[in-house]
């Protein structure tokens, strides 16, 4: 097992230290993040390889599958390494056809937390993100006190150690912080999709982990051409280059790229070793300008 975390570590609290290169477990489920994986043995191998490579940050949710992904995490890694931190999220459920259904009533959120606890096989969750919007972005809805307050209650009971938010605005982050400390934010962001630039900088200033999802989504052909050119020059794949840009973009960005392949996992983690000189950063910055 490697002694160093890929990309280094980010310390958010005394007991929440994350490898900046983490692993997002969503793709361990079947197509559409629904049902069992095609190759469960490979899914188990991906998780074990991630830990062997120094990853101490796994992102998951009980609505991946649903249930399937958390069950695979437990099968692969329980009893968990002492330094492993599992970040989960609540705020959605799946219907019988696999559709994503928002479910943020306080009692539902509490039930979702207990579902995560049971299937992961833990007494307390390291961090729980409250999902307020959908994959396209935050929901323009006022007020989150009731929903976030339900998670604060469970935190006070010792079932949750730290709280975070997913698909949120800066205003919603401010509202949540007035209720309890927020240590993680998870939003759509990458080198081409830069609507959260100000929020990324705010999270850095306040030592909040910012976990961007879809690190390669939303590129135009011209933007992809620029990325490909820079990647060839630095001797990396376009995906590795995009991930490396994110790591350098902000000291509190943590990455959670997902895959169901051990080979692809190794390629993703190797992005932590990609060096982007200043001229390469300037070209990549211009993609989202």
């Amino acid at each position: 097992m490697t002694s160093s975390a890929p990309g280094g570590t980010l310390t958010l609290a005394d007991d929440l230290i994350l490898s900046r290169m983490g692993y997002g477990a969503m793709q361990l489920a079947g197509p559409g993040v629904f049902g069992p994986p095609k190759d469960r043995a490979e899914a188990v191998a991906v998780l074990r390889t991630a830990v062997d490579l120094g990853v101490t940050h796994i992102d998951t949710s009980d609505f991946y599958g649903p249930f399937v992904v958390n069950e695979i995490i437990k099968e692969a890694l329980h009893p968990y390494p002492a330094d492993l931190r599992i970040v989960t999220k609540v705020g959605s459920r799946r219907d019988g056809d696999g559709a994503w259904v928002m479910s943020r009533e306080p009692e539902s959120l509490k039930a979702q937390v207990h579902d995560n606890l049971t299937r992961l096989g833990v007494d307390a969750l390291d961090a729980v993100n409250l999902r307020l919007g959908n994959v396209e972005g935050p929901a323009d809805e006022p007020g989150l006190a009731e929903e976030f307050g339900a998670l604060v209650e469970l935190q006070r009971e010792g079932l949750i150690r730290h709280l975070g938010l997913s698909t949120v605005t800066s205003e919603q982050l401010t509202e949540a912080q007035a209720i309890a400390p927020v240590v993680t934010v998870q939003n759509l962001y990458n080198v081409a999709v830069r609507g959260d630039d100000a929020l990324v900088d705010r999270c850095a200033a306040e030592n909040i982990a910012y976990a961007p999802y879809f690190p390669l989504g939303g590129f135009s052909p011209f933007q992809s051409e620029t990325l490909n050119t820079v990647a060839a020059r630095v001797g990396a794949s376009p995906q590795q280059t995009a991930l490396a840009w994110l790591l350098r973009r902000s000291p509190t960005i943590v990455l959670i790229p997902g895959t169901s392949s051990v080979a692809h996992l190794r390629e993703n983690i190797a992005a932590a070793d990609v060096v982007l000189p200043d001229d390469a950063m300037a070209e990549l910055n211009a993609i989202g300008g």
Side-chain angles (χ1 to χ4, degrees):
M1 181 177 293
T2 183
S3 60
S4 59
T9 59
L10 176 63
T11 301
L12 301 167
D14 291 342
D15 62 341
L16 190 62
I17 302 173
L18 306 177
S19 57
R20 292 191 64 207
M21 178 63 77
Y23 171 70
M26 182 175 72
Q27 292 187 32
L28 295 183
V33 200
F34 193 64
K38 180 179 180 180
D39 189 339
R40 191 179 183 99
E42 179 77 356
V44 169
V46 165
L47 288 161
R48 291 176 177 168
T49 302
V51 171
D52 286 344
L53 292 174
V55 168
T56 65
H57 170 203
I58 292 177
D59 178 85
T60 186
S61 177
D62 215 43
F63 54 69
Y64 293 162
F67 318 139
V68 173
V69 169
N70 279 352
E71 291 170 349
I72 295 174
I73 290 172
K74 182 180 178 183
E75 175 186 341
L77 301 176
H78 193 277
Y80 300 111
D83 62 348
L84 182 65
R85 300 293 174 258
I86 299 177
V87 179
T88 188
K89 65 184 70 64
V90 295
S92 291
R93 289 193 180 276
R94 310 294 291 279
D95 68 15
D97 297 320
W100 304 81
V101 180
M102 300 300 290
S103 184
R104 298 202 307 267
E105 300 79 11
E107 290 309 309
S108 176
L109 292 173
K110 292 179 180 180
Q112 292 170 54
V113 167
H114 281 280
D115 288 342
N116 278 275
L117 287 165
T118 298
R119 292 192 175 86
L120 288 169
V122 295
D123 296 325
L125 298 169
D126 293 312
V128 175
N129 289 325
L130 172 62
R131 181 178 179 178
L132 292 170
N134 54 42
V135 293
E136 285 77 28
D140 187 17
E141 300 175 3
L144 55 78
E146 188 176 22
E147 295 96 330
F148 197 64
L151 300 184
V152 173
E153 288 181 31
L154 297 182
Q155 185 182 41
R156 290 171 178 162
E157 293 174 18
L159 299 179
I160 299 172
R161 296 190 177 96
H162 301 284
L163 299 171
L165 299 169
S166 177
T167 56
V168 294
T169 64
S170 186
E171 292 74 20
Q172 289 169 327
L173 172 59
T174 298
E175 183 180 355
Q177 284 181 308
I179 301 169
V182 174
V183 300
T184 67
V185 166
Q186 187 179 114
N187 273 13
L188 171 61
Y189 185 77
N190 59 49
V191 67
V193 181
R194 302 276 291 282
D196 255 11
D197 268 339
L199 184 55
V200 168
D201 292 337
R202 175 184 174 181
C203 286
E206 299 179 18
N207 197 43
I208 297 170
Y210 184 101
Y213 58 81
F214 293 156
L216 275 178
F219 282 72
S220 70
F222 174 77
Q223 291 168 328
S224 295
E225 182 179 350
T226 301
L227 177 62
N228 293 342
T229 299
V230 173
R233 196 165 72 243
V234 300
S237 71
Q239 182 178 48
Q240 289 172 326
T241 303
L243 294 174
W245 179 87
L246 285 165
L247 284 173
R248 187 169 170 186
R249 168 64 180 83
S250 165
T252 65
I253 278 183
V254 294
L255 300 184
I256 49 172
T259 179
S260 58
S261 158
V262 169
H264 188 205
L265 170 75
R266 292 183 181 277
E267 292 175 6
N268 287 341
I269 292 178
D273 297 323
V274 173
V275 177
L276 294 178
D278 290 344
D279 62 336
M281 284 297 294
E283 288 181 63
L284 295 173
N285 288 343
I287 287 178

